[in-house]
Amino acid sequence: MRERAVSGHPDSTGRTPGATLPSMTESEGSTKESARAAHPPPCDASARCDDTAASLGDYRAAFHTAGLPMAVLNRDGLVLAANPAFGELVGTAPGDLVAADAADLADLGADPRLWAAYREVLCGRRERLSCTRRLKRTDGSAVWAEVTVEPVAERLPGGAERVLLTAADISDRRDLLARLRHLQMHDPVTRLPNRTLFFERLTAALEAAAFERSGTGRIGLCYLDLDGFKAVNDTLGHRVGDRLLGAVAQRLTRCAERAAGRGPGPGGHLVARLGGDEFALLVEDSTGTDQLAELAQSVLDALQQPFDLAGQRLSVSASIGVVERAAGGTTATGLMQAADTTLYWAKEDGKARWTLFDPERNAHRMTRQALSSTLRPAVDRGEFTLEYQPLVGLGDGRAQGVEALVRWRHPQFGVLAPNRFIALAEENGAIVELGRWVLTRACYQARAWQLAHPGGQPLFVSVNVAVRQVWDSDLVADVAGILAETGLPPRLLQLELTESAVMGSAGRPLQALQALSDMGVRIAIDDFGTGYSNLAYLSRLPVSVLKLDGSFVHGFRSQEHPNPADEMIVEALVALAHRLGLTVTAECVESAEQAERLRRIGCDTGQGWLYSRPVAPDGVAALLDAGRACG
Ligand code: C2E
Ligand code: MG
Ligand code: MG
């Protein structure tokens, strides 16, 4: 292997160094053959280079004139000779370097693995060591060098005892690479670190926090988005937009410097532009949410001053998501997701503010998402059930009908009440399928009760219908189909719609209500009193029942603390409704006293815990067997 160092290849000067010393020609033997076989000779056979011509003096001269910094070391790593290029590299006369420890000169002792490898080269157990080191010059400056250490060929007199150290100055290359990296890692508009550098620093900070015991072991982040920045770009152009971003970046940097208690320069809190009008301030070794909240507030304050940009006076505000947590167990993506969610909350809560990450709110959001995405398949998997709550005649205390109330037997979250998922189902449209299922199930059930108790007035079933069912599906066709399929007479079906669903309804919803009413299906207005409460308008719609919202009955309170206003309103409403030909059901009747007052006022039916909680179909069957007396 050592022949490689002195083989007949042209060196960097283009010359072919003497392949061997005269005294060593014999010993070349077969290795020379194999080297030749591998690499064609530089000179043709007839004009073979005359190795023997080169003397030791030639080599010495070459060593001294070479532009490559070199030093010959002994096996203890002490410098025996250094060439002028080496002296120049470290800033010392070459003669002064004699007897110096090369490990110190080339910084080979700091890294244990490097040190071990170097020692192995010195004692001949390793052929070569090559590494990049930062060498200190005598004037205090530093240079980057590609350092190589390898034994001098045994063919030189005493070569076996010598080691050659070369140190090629690569400072220019390093500078160029550093400049390229700076360009790659910074945003040209604001000169701030960009997304890539931000993530690099964040990942490094999380790793450092996990392994180092010296810091707080925490990390904090302000994730900021300018409010209405798009409008600036759209109305004033991208140049003004860019200048604004630059000015914002400066203010953010000043806030970060002030918060970190230091002047401009590296270190402190990292400010980065993540793209568009999004910025981040990273606080390593944070001390708690207070520190981050203070920083976020200072940023809002700093941005409050208008910006003067080329004659334009601009005011902007920002929304900031603030996250502060223990670094252990936190990933860069996890932290950014939390920050992103929190920023969204800040926007949702009205912009121009900072909002702190709230694990509970996040869990709620996650649950909402999980529920929303699994609603549709849950209908197919049969995860929904219906409970029924009696609607009781206030005069005789007997059940006249039941309201069907849906529940979700969620495999993970247990039984969920409709207020957890109906709004989600309305949002994503799953309500159409779910509503169809509820209607079918409820009609089958009502028909089954009717068949099981022939004779006497059968129970009607009241089914809640969401607005979107009226708009997004053919409710009339669905109802007609389901009634035909189940055999339930239309008069035993009541549909509950909210005021907002029917108010102002023209066109399709109104036609649908009319068609349903013509079919013999009763329409009830649910939660009456929470919306427009426009009785005059309602009377013109094909509505036959008002269900008074529970808040009215709650307002009755006890005999000691009556709320006469609520009672008077209900009394007036009932009288008016009756005059308009509507019947009235009171929701949330919880006490006998409330029931009695409602009866005296003239309310027709009541629904509430006084009579029964919503129950499974068996509970209703038992009620029917017992002659339907409730309460
Ligand atoms: P709603 O139609 O007004 O139903 C009455 C709600 O009041 C039911 O809540 C019932 O359990 C509750 N309640 C009954 N009696 C009392 C009482 O004495 N005191 C109190 N505090 N509450 C009482 P639930 O079952 O949680 O249903 C909530 C809402 O979900 C319903 O209000 C309805 O708007 C909606 N909903 C239920 N099932 C369906 C459905 O199948 N489709 C649609 N679109 N909405 C449904
Ligand atoms: Mg209802
Ligand atoms: Mg209601």
Side-chain angles (χ1 to χ4, degrees), residues 191-277:
R191 297 174 198 272
L192 287 179
N194 63 13
R195 197 178 185 86
T196 316
L197 181 52
F198 173 79
F199 270 94
E200 204 173 88
R201 276 280 296 274
L202 174 59
T203 310
L206 286 170
E207 270 169 23
F211 290 112
E212 283 168 18
R213 298 194 172 271
S214 52
T216 61
R218 303 187 67 82
I219 194 148
L221 177 68
C222 289
Y223 187 19
L224 174 150
D225 184 289
L226 297 181
D227 301 325
F229 177 71
K230 190 176 175 300
V232 176
N233 259 347
D234 290 350
T235 53
L236 302 172
H238 285 257
R239 271 183 50 169
V240 176
D242 282 358
R243 293 178 73 157
L244 177 63
L245 289 174
V248 167
Q250 277 177 11
R251 290 197 192 173
L252 295 183
T253 307
R254 271 204 301 277
C255 283
E257 284 166 3
R258 235 179 283 135
R262 53 190 311 139
H269 309 324
L270 177 80
V271 182
R273 180 182 177 208
L274 301 189
D277 57 348

Side-chain angles (χ1 to χ4, degrees), residues 561-572:
H561 307 287
N563 185 344
D566 272 320
E567 215 165 315
M568 275 162 61
I569 292 170
V570 173
E571 197 168 354

Side-chain angles (χ1 to χ4, degrees), residues 386 389 403-407 417-419 422 426 431 434-435 438 463-466 469 496 498 526-527 547 549 554 587-590 607-610 612-614:
L386 290 183
Q389 191 177 29
E403 178 175 1
L405 296 160
V406 67
R407 275 90 182 89
N419 60 4
I422 289 290
E426 286 211 62
I431 193 71
L434 177 60
V438 170
V463 177
N464 293 284
V465 174
Q469 283 174 266
E496 297 188 17
T498 56
D526 203 357
D527 306 334
K547 290 190 76 180
D549 189 66
H554 277 140
E587 297 180 351
C588 292
V589 184
E590 293 179 0
Q607 174 184 5
W609 298 345
L610 169 67
S612 166
R613 298 253 174 180

Side-chain angles (χ1 to χ4, degrees), residues 94-425:
D96 293 349
L97 290 170
V98 174
D101 191 338
D104 294 339
L105 291 174
D107 187 29
L108 297 170
D111 179 332
R113 280 175 56 194
L114 186 64
W115 172 247
Y118 171 60
R119 298 299 308 166
E120 282 180 1
V121 177
L122 286 184
C123 61
R125 286 204 301 269
R126 185 188 176 108
E127 284 178 9
R128 196 166 195 264
L129 167 67
S130 187
C131 55
T132 302
R133 306 306 294 159
R134 193 161 177 267
L135 311 191
K136 277 203 201 76
R137 309 187 75 233
T138 46
D139 64 1
S141 61
V143 283
W144 283 99
E146 187 74 47
V147 174
T148 307
V149 188
E150 56 189 324
V152 175
E154 283 162 5
R155 285 164 292 188
L156 282 168
E161 293 305 311
R162 304 287 179 259
V163 173
L164 181 69
L165 181 145
T166 60
D169 185 350
I170 55 162
S171 293
D172 288 349
R173 204 167 80 206
R174 292 278 300 204
D175 281 355
L176 185 67
L177 284 175
R179 274 205 298 276
L180 279 174
R181 187 179 145 77
H182 187 89
L183 283 175
Q184 261 171 12
M185 298 289 186
H186 287 76
D187 157 48
V189 175
T190 60
R191 297 174 198 272
L192 287 179
N194 63 13
R195 197 178 185 86
T196 316
L197 181 52
F198 173 79
F199 270 94
E200 204 173 88
R201 276 280 296 274
L202 174 59
T203 310
L206 286 170
E207 270 169 23
F211 290 112
E212 283 168 18
R213 298 194 172 271
S214 52
T216 61
R218 303 187 67 82
I219 194 148
L221 177 68
C222 289
Y223 187 19
L224 174 150
D225 184 289
L226 297 181
D227 301 325
F229 177 71
K230 190 176 175 300
V232 176
N233 259 347
D234 290 350
T235 53
L236 302 172
H238 285 257
R239 271 183 50 169
V240 176
D242 282 358
R243 293 178 73 157
L244 177 63
L245 289 174
V248 167
Q250 277 177 11
R251 290 197 192 173
L252 295 183
T253 307
R254 271 204 301 277
C255 283
E257 284 166 3
R258 235 179 283 135
R262 53 190 311 139
H269 309 324
L270 177 80
V271 182
R273 180 182 177 208
L274 301 189
D277 57 348
E278 288 172 18
F279 297 86
L281 287 89
L282 180 68
V283 179
E284 295 179 37
D285 283 324
S286 54
T287 54
T289 48
D290 285 355
Q291 184 192 14
L292 268 291
E294 211 173 289
L295 176 63
Q297 188 54 51
S298 76
V299 167
L300 290 185
D301 293 344
L303 295 180
Q304 221 165 35
Q305 317 292 326
F307 291 85
D308 280 315
L309 300 172
Q312 306 267 9
R313 211 169 154 77
L314 282 179
S315 291
V316 291
S317 66
S319 304
I320 308 177
V322 179
V323 185
E324 202 279 337
R325 54 173 64 165
T330 297
T331 60
T333 1
L335 192 71
M336 287 315 289
Q337 264 168 8
D340 194 49
T341 305
T342 318
L343 173 59
Y344 174 76
W345 293 339
K347 295 258 179 205
E348 197 182 48
D349 294 348
K351 301 183 179 169
R353 71 193 56 225
W354 57 265
T355 299
L356 195 60
F357 180 75
D358 174 358
E360 253 179 50
R361 190 170 172 181
N362 190 48
H364 184 69
R365 181 188 65 98
M366 304 271 280
T367 316
R368 267 178 70 90
Q369 263 172 15
L371 293 184
S372 178
S373 58
T374 50
L375 260 164
R376 249 178 251 269
V379 178
D380 299 333
R381 283 198 298 263
E383 288 177 7
F384 293 92
T385 55
L386 290 183
E387 285 190 338
Y388 299 89
Q389 191 177 29
L391 298 153
V392 180
L394 284 167
D396 58 4
R398 287 164 63 85
Q400 298 177 0
V402 287
E403 178 175 1
L405 296 160
V406 67
R407 275 90 182 89
W408 185 353
R409 290 188 187 282
H410 196 282
Q412 228 178 315
F413 305 119
V415 178
L416 301 178
N419 60 4
R420 296 285 303 278
F421 58 87
I422 289 290
L424 293 176

Side-chain angles (χ1 to χ4, degrees), residues 388-403 449 456-461 604-607 611-612 615 619-631:
Y388 299 89
Q389 191 177 29
L391 298 153
V392 180
L394 284 167
D396 58 4
R398 287 164 63 85
Q400 298 177 0
V402 287
E403 178 175 1
W449 286 322
Q457 181 63 21
L459 283 182
F460 69 87
V461 68
D604 305 284
T605 40
Q607 174 184 5
Y611 307 109
S612 166
V615 291
V620 178
L623 185 75
L624 285 167
D625 292 338
R628 298 156 66 166
C630 287

